[in-house]
Amino acid sequence: QVQLVESGGGLVQAGGSLRLSCAASGRTFSSGRTFSSLNMGWFRQAPGKEREFVAHIGWSGSSSSILIADSVKGRFAISRDNAKNTVYLQMNSLKPEDTAVYRCAVFAGGLVYSANGYNYWGQGTQVTVSS
C-alpha cells in the first residue's frame, strides 16, 4: 500500500524555522508509477478554516515546476529528493498564522492549488507558531 508520512512539525517561536519531510513508501503508485514520476504538493489546515494550498513541485524538482502560495512566498520553499522518495517543505520566518496541520499529497490532475487534484494524502504534522 502507498503511504505518505510527514514529520518535522513542532512548536516554534515566531521568526523561527522548521523543515517538514514527507516520506513516500510503496514502490508503485497508480498505473505503476514510481515516486520520481509524481508531482507532489503541500497543504495546510488550521482549526475552523478550509484546507489551504501551500506549495507544489513537479516530478523533476526543477524551479519551473514549483508553485508557491502567495501567503508563504519568500518564506517557504519546496524541494524533493527522489532517491529518498521524500519531499521537503522548508519554512522560514514563521508567523502565528502559519499554525496548522501540514499534509503532503500526490497530484493526480487538475488545478495544482486545489485539494481536489490530489489523491493520496498523508496524515499530517502539526506546526504551532507562538507569538
Side-chain angles (χ1 to χ4, degrees), residues 2 26-38 120:
V2 170
R27 188 179 66 86
T28 60
F29 293 74
S30 60
S31 303
R33 301 173 68 189
T34 58
F35 177 80
S36 61
S37 68
L38 299 173
Y120 289 104

Side-chain angles (χ1 to χ4, degrees), residues 1-5 22-35 38 40 85 104-106 119-123:
Q1 283 287 354
V2 170
Q3 275 193 315
L4 299 174
V5 179
C22 169
S25 63
R27 188 179 66 86
T28 60
F29 293 74
S30 60
S31 303
R33 301 173 68 189
T34 58
F35 177 80
L38 299 173
M40 301 291 295
N85 284 8
C104 64
V106 177
N119 58 358
Y120 289 104
W121 290 83
Q123 291 299 308

Side-chain angles (χ1 to χ4, degrees), residues 66-89:
I66 290 173
L67 181 66
I68 306 291
D70 288 343
S71 59
V72 302
K73 193 171 293 182
R75 301 188 297 120
F76 289 14
I78 187 171
S79 62
R80 66 190 296 161
D81 185 338
N82 286 339
K84 296 181 178 180
N85 284 8
T86 302
V87 175
Y88 303 98
L89 185 68

Side-chain angles (χ1 to χ4, degrees), residues 39-54:
N39 300 334
M40 301 291 295
W42 282 96
F43 285 77
R44 67 185 182 184
Q45 188 165 19
K49 294 187 177 181
E50 293 186 355
R51 192 174 303 179
E52 177 188 14
F53 168 77
V54 176

